[in-house]
């Protein structure tokens, strides 16, 4: 189960829009920075394929300027 954290930089004036768009995606949690025009995004998916699809969806958002991965790890899935 990949768990990845990103820093998401919105387009100018689009922070609230980006928060709303990412919040609507499943497997995403958004934490807005209080003192910067920046979002922390944490994703938790079932496998690497889902993770890649989710990353592509986030990168395709018009309100996003830059997405930078900060940390990532893969935990074994318990059956």
């Amino acid at each position: 189960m990949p768990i990845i954290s990103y820093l998401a930089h919105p387009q100018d004036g689009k922070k609230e829009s980006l928060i709303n768009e990412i919040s609507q995606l499943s497997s995403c949690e958004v934490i807005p920075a209080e003192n910067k025009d920046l979002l922390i995004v944490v994703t938790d998916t079932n496998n690497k394929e889902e993770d890649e699809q989710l990353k592509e969806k986030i990168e395709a958002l018009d309100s996003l300027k830059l997405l930078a991965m900060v940390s990532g790890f893969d935990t074994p899935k318990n059956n």
Side-chain angles (χ1 to χ4, degrees):
M1 297 181 68
I3 300 172
I4 312 286
S5 61
Y6 299 94
L7 295 179
H9 298 266
Q11 296 287 353
D12 292 338
K14 299 287 187 176
K15 183 177 179 182
E16 291 301 319
S17 177
L18 186 58
I19 291 170
N20 292 334
E21 290 176 302
I22 294 176
S23 295
Q24 292 178 13
L25 298 173
S26 63
S27 304
C28 283
E29 182 177 342
V30 181
I31 305 158
E34 294 178 10
N35 61 348
K36 298 286 183 188
D37 203 20
L38 178 71
L39 306 176
I40 300 163
V41 179
V42 179
T43 63
D44 183 2
T45 55
N46 290 317
N47 55 51
K48 290 181 183 183
E49 292 79 24
E50 279 185 25
D51 181 63
E52 188 59 36
Q53 291 172 352
L54 181 57
K55 181 181 174 214
E56 288 174 4
K57 286 180 185 179
I58 295 170
E59 290 176 328
L61 298 174
D62 290 335
S63 55
L64 179 71
K65 181 189 287 184
L66 175 71
L67 185 69
M69 185 174 72
V70 177
S71 177
F73 62 93
D74 195 359
T75 59
K77 187 173 183 177
N78 293 333
N79 291 331

